[in-house]
Amino acid sequence: KNQEHTSTKRFIRVTKLTTETSSTLIFKEVGVVKFSEIIPGQCQYPYSAYCGIKIDSRVFADIPSRSYEAKLKKVKIPSNYFPTFRNGKDKRYYDKANSYSVASGEDRHVYKGDWDGTFKFAWTDNPAWILYDVILNDRYGLGGFVEASSVNKWDLYKIGRFCDAVDEQGYFVGLDDGRGGLEPRFSCNIMFSEETKVFDAINTIATIFRGVVYYNNSTIEFSDDRPKEPIALFTNSNVKEGIFTYSNYQRDEQINTIEVVYIDRYDGYKTKLELVENQADISERGWRSFSLPNHKRKPISGF
């Protein structure tokens, strides 16, 4: 019987239908070890990933801090985009360069054929498609105000391939991860832990691939600084009076040291700082620094 101070008295009745034996030499006693009460009502956590854990208070004086590496929300990605194997292993990360050299062409094939403009739902850390999701999602993005037809997905597709560091045929070539392996050029692992304006969220994700999002002729456009073919060539012959005006930063304003803040996926996604220096210029002019936050390797943490 539950004797707690509640407005409702709860009872558990245990009935033993048979004794299996009528012998008085066998001790017969029924005990309850555990019971679970089902309470009518909504006990769901929509749009959430949650984990339950039980610890022994005799071992832990306080609740220990925990962290989890998980693949969270699925988003729309191109139908010809295959960044993972069927077992879920990513095709775009190699701990050692020799592992890449012995991988088959099929194992490195990320974009297969031409894209027809259709999508499928899957997990990805490609910032281009996470950005596409944030723009069009009607729960936490601009989906209630923006139609998919007004988003230039074709330019975003080119940016996505650049982020994945693939060649013209869609095979992964990767970039040095600083540990002897290979990884994509840009990846996005984001968790917005507090309320954020959607425009700020969009700009944050765009800066991961060094890009911008802008509105032009009723269309949401994208631009980034990946290598492109020249749009126009200027010479003395096509400039009025053949006169050029040159400008540049002053010598004292030209930096020779960059501080890059990133999240290290190999060390529990801890925030780290990488320093890139021009030693020859530092010895001549002294230290001229510039902080470049969250632009290298693993820009933010977990989406």
Side-chain angles (χ1 to χ4, degrees), residues 5-23:
H5 298 289
T6 60
S7 59
T8 303
K9 299 295 184 181
R10 295 182 175 90
F11 299 87
I12 299 174
R13 178 174 296 165
V14 180
T15 303
K16 188 172 178 60
L17 300 179
T18 62
T19 60
E20 284 88 23
T21 178
S22 58
S23 173

Side-chain angles (χ1 to χ4, degrees), residues 97-228:
N98 58 0
S99 300
Y100 173 83
S101 62
V102 299
S104 66
E106 179 61 26
D107 289 347
R108 294 183 285 106
H109 207 181
V110 177
Y111 291 88
K112 299 182 179 181
D114 296 328
W115 184 38
D116 60 3
T118 59
F119 291 93
K120 61 184 178 181
F121 273 100
W123 180 89
T124 182
D125 64 358
N126 189 309
W129 304 117
I130 293 175
L131 177 61
Y132 186 78
D133 176 74
V134 172
I135 291 174
L136 292 179
N137 192 282
D138 56 6
R139 179 170 64 88
Y140 50 79
L142 295 175
F145 309 94
V146 176
E147 297 291 338
S149 58
S150 65
V151 180
N152 189 341
K153 60 184 178 182
W154 306 106
D155 276 352
L156 201 58
Y157 177 74
K158 298 176 184 178
I159 294 174
R161 290 175 65 108
F162 182 67
C163 292
D164 279 328
V166 298
D167 61 15
E168 292 294 330
Q169 289 72 42
Y171 290 91
F172 177 73
V173 294
L175 276 75
D176 185 4
D177 65 358
R179 301 167 55 91
L182 295 172
E183 65 181 1
R185 179 174 282 104
F186 300 111
S187 64
C188 176
N189 299 280
I190 294 226
M191 180 177 293
F192 292 107
S193 58
E194 58 186 24
E195 185 176 333
T196 305
K197 293 181 180 179
V198 67
F199 294 106
D200 293 339
I202 289 174
N203 290 328
T204 296
I205 299 173
T207 57
I208 292 173
F209 54 80
R210 300 197 301 261
V212 294
V213 182
Y214 61 97
Y215 195 67
N216 183 38
N217 293 329
S218 302
T219 304
I220 296 179
E221 303 282 354
F222 309 92
S223 180
D224 67 324
D225 68 348
R226 71 184 187 278
K228 302 181 179 71

